Amino acid sequence: TLRFISTTSQFSEELLDTTPTHQYDSCIREVERGSKLVSVVNDGSKVVLQLPRGNFEIIHPRALVLYICRTYLSNLEFRKAFLTMRKHRIDLNLLFDYNPSNFFQHIKTFIKQIN
């Protein structure tokens, strides 16, 4: 099991619990038993795992992709957020739902970047 923990979180034994709090917990991802974490690509959502058979696998964990999308939206990089969300099949309503008041304030920027 691969668990995503914020780097700003204080360590506690509860963080090691891999039982999902609900069915759609995006911070927990099942991986093949014996897989090793090789690398996380800087400024991206790629995580490289080495499987027990020796082959490498690249995954894009949803928790990491959502974090990157939120960062783009906070920085008003609507185009990057849109393309990332479309590539990883994340509901595009997040563009608005993340911060509706900020979205309405910068609607011209959004239209200019997406167009």
Side-chain angles (χ1 to χ4, degrees):
T1 301
L2 188 61
R3 176 154 188 126
F4 299 93
I5 303 170
S6 172
T7 56
T8 59
S9 299
Q10 286 286 347
F11 177 78
S12 69
E13 292 293 324
E14 294 174 0
L15 292 175
L16 299 177
D17 182 22
T18 58
T19 306
T21 54
H22 55 80
Q23 183 180 1
Y24 301 109
D25 189 353
S26 64
C27 294
I28 295 177
R29 168 134 184 189
E30 294 293 326
V31 293
E32 189 173 332
R33 181 182 210 105
S35 297
K36 295 179 183 175
L37 179 64
V38 176
S39 177
V40 177
V41 178
N42 193 21
D43 294 333
S45 63
K46 294 179 185 175
V47 173
V48 181
L49 300 172
Q50 184 175 13
L51 303 179
R53 297 180 304 277
N55 54 328
F56 292 95
E57 183 175 323
I58 297 175
I59 61 172
H60 296 268
R62 186 157 302 276
L64 194 53
V65 173
L66 288 172
Y67 172 79
I68 291 169
C69 289
R70 287 192 305 262
T71 304
Y72 287 153
L73 292 173
S74 296
N75 295 333
L76 303 178
E77 298 179 77
F78 295 113
R79 181 167 179 76
K80 285 183 178 180
F82 174 78
L83 293 175
T84 302
M85 292 167 70
R86 189 172 69 177
K87 178 180 177 182
H88 296 286
R89 297 180 180 171
I90 296 174
D91 190 357
L92 294 177
N93 284 333
L94 182 65
L95 290 168
F96 173 79
D97 292 339
Y98 177 70
N99 190 346
S101 61
N102 191 36
F103 183 81
F104 281 126
Q105 286 177 348
H106 300 285
I107 193 74
K108 289 183 181 179
T109 307
F110 173 77
I111 293 171
K112 190 180 295 183
Q113 288 182 14
I114 298 298
N115 200 9

